[in-house]
Amino acid sequence: MSQRPPAPNGRVTSAKIVIAGGFGVGKTTLVGSVSEITPLTTEAIMTSAGVGVDDTRQVPGKTTTTVAMDFGRISIDRDLILYLFGTPGQTRFWFMWDELVRGAIGAVVLVDTRRLADCFAAIDFFEHRRLPYLVAINCFDGRQYHDPQDVRDALAISTDVPVVACDARNRESTKHVLISLVEYVLTMRRSRAVAPA
């Protein structure tokens, strides 16, 4: 994406978004597919330290893993820039999450419906911190096998939390997820602003 000129009034808003989910669900791929800059990744070769700790049965070809974070940036329009921070998926790196979510307006919980239970920890994390999030179903082979409502029911999440399908490899699909999250955050903020005291 080419750099856009600044907004006419000169004000540019930036926002931080966290991309979370289980091990090998596609977080690094999502950040890389949509970032307009070369994404910063902290991918490391998986070693024997992960044997018996990381469950690679559903992702047998996976040879690297995120050990700190992924970082990317996308300009949604002339006056909104999103900074994307992808979390590590393994439990042994979760100590990073508290720092990564500091200052975030919201989060994307990326899920693989073959391993739905892997996203429960991320959902609990964001609900506990009252950080708005949406659930993005990663369609690995380009096909959506489960209805979003079925995924919502399986995750037992509130009806107001958006559940959308995406292909983490596809820039437009990923951009749609991010726009949906920003719209959801704005809707929540407006509703809180008008709620009676």
Side-chain angles (χ1 to χ4, degrees):
M1 177 179 279
S2 61
Q3 187 67 24
R4 293 182 172 94
N9 62 8
R11 292 184 58 200
V12 176
T13 300
S14 62
K16 178 180 182 179
I17 290 178
V18 175
I19 313 297
F23 171 65
V25 77
K27 300 177 296 294
T28 300
T29 300
L30 186 150
V31 172
S33 74
V34 77
S35 181
E36 63 195 12
I37 61 170
T38 301
L40 166 69
T41 63
T42 57
E43 290 282 293
I45 300 293
M46 294 177 66
T47 65
S48 58
V51 174
V53 179
D54 300 325
D55 183 0
T56 60
R57 289 175 293 183
Q58 294 293 330
V59 283
K62 189 164 177 62
T63 59
T64 61
T65 187
T66 300
V67 295
M69 69 171 188
D70 299 313
F71 173 77
R73 182 189 76 198
I74 179 172
S75 300
I76 297 298
D77 59 29
R78 290 186 304 176
D79 56 359
L80 177 60
I81 298 172
L82 300 181
Y83 293 99
L84 312 176
F85 290 79
T87 66
Q90 302 96 313
T91 56
R92 68 182 186 275
F93 297 124
W94 282 357
F95 66 91
M96 297 285 303
W97 285 37
D98 284 323
E99 291 302 318
L100 289 176
V101 301
R102 191 181 311 270
I105 64 161
V108 172
V109 177
L110 194 60
V111 303
D112 176 352
T113 55
R114 299 169 299 180
R115 300 175 290 135
L116 207 53
D118 290 355
C119 73
F120 288 147
I123 289 172
D124 289 344
F125 182 89
F126 298 126
E127 287 184 349
H128 179 70
R129 283 157 183 79
R130 298 181 187 217
L131 185 69
Y133 69 93
L134 66 66
V135 172
I137 305 165
N138 194 2
C139 302
F140 283 88
D141 54 6
R143 294 176 57 193
Q144 183 178 339
Y145 290 98
H146 299 281
D147 182 78
Q149 185 59 47
D150 293 337
V151 173
R152 176 188 307 285
D153 294 343
L155 297 176
I157 57 176
S158 170
T159 56
D160 67 317
V161 174
V163 178
V164 298
C166 75
D167 181 341
R169 301 164 300 182
N170 181 283
R171 179 181 177 79
E172 287 307 311
S173 180
T174 299
K175 188 174 177 182
H176 172 72
V177 169
L178 298 174
I179 291 170
S180 296
L181 176 63
V182 170
E183 290 172 345
Y184 175 56
V185 169
L186 290 174
T187 299
M188 286 188 66
R189 289 184 175 184
R190 284 187 202 111
S191 65
R192 287 179 186 159
V194 300

